[in-house]
Each structure stands twice: as C-alpha cells, then as structure tokens.
C-alpha cells in the first residue's frame, strides 16, 4: 500500500505542505478557569476483557492492527456521538477558545467541496492532492470563506486539532478515550466483528455508516445520503448505544501512535474500500496533535 493510499482518507499532517505552509502558530489558547461547561451526555459501559485488533485479510499490519490480543478495559462512560458543532460553539462562547486552525489561519478541505477559484489558489500536499490548504477554513467555516454551519448544528465539529479537543475536555470535565477504550466501545459487545454491527458492510443492502461510494476522489454517488458530514446520530447505534463509530469523521484518542503523532480511529466520509478501508473497528491511523481537516472530530469519555 502506497503512502498516498495510507494517508488519503485521514487528511495530511499540518506540515505536509512544506515551504508553502503558512508560518507556525503560537501555543494554543488556554481554557480560562478550568471546567465551566456542562459535560455532554454519556452512556455507561461496563468494561471487561475484549479481543482487540484484527488479523483478517483486510487488516493493515503496518498500522499495528494485530495481533488479536485480550485487553482489559475498566468501566467507563462515553458520549453516544461525536461532539457537535452546537456543543463546540457553547465551549467557544464560554471560554473564548481559539482553535489552532484559526491561529494558523488555514486548514485542510477536500478539494471537491471548493469552488473553482478557491480550489485553484489553495496549495495541496504532493501525495494527497485531493486536500487543499484553505485560508480561513475553520470549525465555523468548514469549507473556508463564505461557508458556515447553517443546517449543521447537529453535525460533528471538524477542523479541530487534538489540542483543541483536549481543551474542550478540560472545560467539560471529560477526557479523550484511550485507544483500547475506543475500540472496546466501538465493538458494542461483538467479538472480532469487522464493523460495529457485524461483518457485512451493507447488510440487506442497508447503509450503516457514512463513507465514500463511487470512485475516489472523482465521484461520490452519496448512496448513503451524505457527501460530507452527517448528523452525529444519522445511523443506528451499536450494541452499546454509540452512533457513527464507523465513518463520518475520524475521532482523536488520548494515546500516542508514535512520537509526535496521536491516534485517530473510526474512518471518515472520505474512506473507501478501494484505497482506505479504515472504517473497520480495528483500523487505526494517526496525525500530529496540531493538525486539522474537514473530516477530523472527536468524542469524549469519562471514568466509570
């Protein structure tokens, strides 16, 4: 699998534009006064031992998916869905937080969402040219200047870095889930299943997640109903009551994948089996903690 295939659906690191990138931002704005917000609704998960990872033919060994091994997870609470635009807006209104995308002045947007003029002037990473570094793109302007959150209050917030997600957690009295906790929760009680609902991607022809249909990156037929993000509860929940743990947006986890890279889980609306099938529950990838794009969000957790 080429590097282009490996990184295509999870965005590019902020430094992927090389010398074309805008100058580095200063440290992110601290949240004033610690916790002041209302924690998102959380569901109770009992914890226990589960089989983490995959050794199936579609697993990606270089991602560290395998081997399958027993892992013990303590009881915890986890949000049934990713943090929404409305929830993040409340955090920003209460704290004055400025996201790293706003401080840098740009973030990555899928080229197919942009008008021709903006697409033409926005630099692209060499190995993932479907991403554009768009000046002015941020959580409240997801496609850059002229875009907004109209009709997207219940969609997952995007263009948030790992550092932004941690700031939200500090405000709301929550935390990011550990990677093992995330996979345990995403499996919903199913052992070794490929997806949160079983082994078939579309059982009975029914779409269960928001991913790319068609030929990437030139045509998305949107057979699942969405070209970009979907509402956070757009598809039925898994056995633990969690929505959209496959597809829609990548979700930051607390763990390091390697030095300077944080784990992301779940895949996004840009994933497709032809080049990036990382919407499986065992799949994993990562990005630098200051990176952001139009398909990265997060979900929060707390101790049980």
């Amino acid at each position: 699998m080429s590097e282009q295939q490996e990184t295509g659906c999870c965005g590019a690191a902020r430094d992927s534009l090389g010398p074309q990138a805008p100058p580095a931002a200063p440290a992110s704005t601290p949240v004033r006064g610690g916790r002041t917000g209302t924690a998102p609704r959380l569901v109770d998960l009992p914890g226990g031992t589960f089989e983490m990872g995959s050794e199936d033919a579609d697993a990606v060994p270089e991602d560290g998916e395998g081997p399958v091994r027993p892992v013990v997870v303590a009881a915890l609470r986890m949000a049934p869905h990713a943090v929404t635009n409305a929830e993040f807006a409340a955090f920003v209104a209460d704290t004055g937080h400025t996201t790293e995308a706003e401080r840098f002045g740009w973030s990555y947007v899928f080229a197919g969402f942009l008008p021709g003029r903006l697409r033409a002037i926005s630099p692209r990473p060499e190995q993932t040219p479907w991403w554009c570094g768009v000046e002015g793109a941020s959580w409240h302007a997801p496609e850059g200047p002229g875009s907004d959150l109209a009709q997207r209050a219940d969609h997952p917030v995007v263009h948030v870095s790992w550092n932004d997600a941690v700031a939200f957690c500090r405000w709301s009295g929550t935390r990011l889930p550990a990677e093992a906790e995330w996979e345990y929760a995403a499996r919903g009680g199913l052992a070794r299943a490929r997806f949160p609902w079983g082994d078939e991607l579309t059982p009975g022809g029914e779409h269960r997640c928001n991913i790319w249909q068609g030929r990437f990156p030139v045509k998305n037929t949107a057979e699942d109903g969405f070209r970009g993000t979907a509402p956070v509860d757009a598809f039925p929940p898994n056995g633990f009551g969690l929505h959209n743990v496959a597809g829609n947006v990548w979700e930051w986890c607390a763990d390091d994948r390697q030095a300077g890279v944080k784990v992301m889980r779940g895949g996004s609306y840009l994933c497709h089996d032809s080049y990036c099938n990382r919407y499986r529950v065992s799949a994993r990838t990562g990005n630098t903690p200051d990176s952001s794009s139009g398909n990265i969000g997060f979900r929060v957790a707390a101790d049980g």
Side-chain angles (χ1 to χ4, degrees), residues 139-233:
W139 74 272
H140 55 82
E143 291 79 51
S147 63
D148 57 35
L149 299 179
Q151 310 303 314
R152 286 189 274 189
D154 61 347
H155 286 224
V157 65
V158 293
H159 296 294
V160 286
S161 70
W162 186 89
N163 295 317
D164 296 323
V166 168
F168 178 94
C169 289
R170 188 161 62 246
W171 170 77
S172 61
T174 59
R175 59 176 173 80
L176 291 177
E179 183 177 13
E181 293 175 329
W182 191 98
E183 184 170 328
Y184 162 76
R187 290 186 175 278
L190 299 181
R192 296 204 181 196
R194 296 179 74 234
F195 305 111
W197 54 85
D199 289 321
E200 292 185 51
L201 179 59
T202 54
E206 179 186 358
H207 290 282
R208 298 290 185 91
C209 63
N210 176 21
I211 57 175
W212 186 283
Q213 289 93 41
R215 182 185 170 202
F216 186 87
V218 296
K219 183 176 179 58
N220 185 354
T221 63
E223 292 172 13
D224 57 28
F226 306 97
R227 289 185 66 242
T229 59
V232 294
D233 59 355

Side-chain angles (χ1 to χ4, degrees), residues 58-300:
D58 54 0
V60 185
E62 55 266 38
D63 282 355
E65 282 192 54
V68 176
R69 65 277 188 194
V71 174
V72 179
V73 171
L76 73 151
R77 296 175 294 145
M78 189 171 289
H81 55 69
V83 172
T84 66
N85 285 313
E87 290 170 331
F88 199 80
F91 157 62
V92 170
D94 192 40
T95 64
H97 180 79
T98 302
T99 63
E100 290 195 294
E102 292 170 294
R103 296 178 71 89
F104 276 95
W106 67 282
S107 187
Y108 284 111
V109 179
F110 180 65
F113 293 163
L114 299 173
R117 181 194 62 80
L118 188 56
R119 188 165 59 243
I121 65 173
S122 299
R124 306 187 187 203
E126 180 178 353
Q127 294 192 343
T128 53
W130 44 84
W131 286 110
C132 292
V134 177
E135 292 189 15
S138 70
W139 74 272
H140 55 82
E143 291 79 51
S147 63
D148 57 35
L149 299 179
Q151 310 303 314
R152 286 189 274 189
D154 61 347
H155 286 224
V157 65
V158 293
H159 296 294
V160 286
S161 70
W162 186 89
N163 295 317
D164 296 323
V166 168
F168 178 94
C169 289
R170 188 161 62 246
W171 170 77
S172 61
T174 59
R175 59 176 173 80
L176 291 177
E179 183 177 13
E181 293 175 329
W182 191 98
E183 184 170 328
Y184 162 76
R187 290 186 175 278
L190 299 181
R192 296 204 181 196
R194 296 179 74 234
F195 305 111
W197 54 85
D199 289 321
E200 292 185 51
L201 179 59
T202 54
E206 179 186 358
H207 290 282
R208 298 290 185 91
C209 63
N210 176 21
I211 57 175
W212 186 283
Q213 289 93 41
R215 182 185 170 202
F216 186 87
V218 296
K219 183 176 179 58
N220 185 354
T221 63
E223 292 172 13
D224 57 28
F226 306 97
R227 289 185 66 242
T229 59
V232 294
D233 59 355
F235 296 90
N238 70 1
F240 285 159
L242 274 60
H243 295 270
N244 293 358
V245 282
N248 213 24
V249 294
W250 286 100
E251 298 181 6
W252 291 111
C253 291
D255 310 51
D256 291 334
R257 183 178 180 188
Q258 63 197 59
V261 175
K262 296 294 184 180
V263 170
M264 301 191 304
R265 286 298 204 113
S268 82
Y269 58 83
L270 294 177
C271 283
H272 185 272
D273 185 61
S274 67
Y275 79 102
C276 177
N277 65 352
R278 288 175 174 83
Y279 43 87
R280 296 169 294 104
V281 288
S282 63
R284 59 198 301 264
T285 191
N287 214 329
T288 56
D290 63 350
S291 292
S292 62
S293 69
N295 68 338
I296 300 177
F298 67 104
R299 179 185 309 251
V300 300

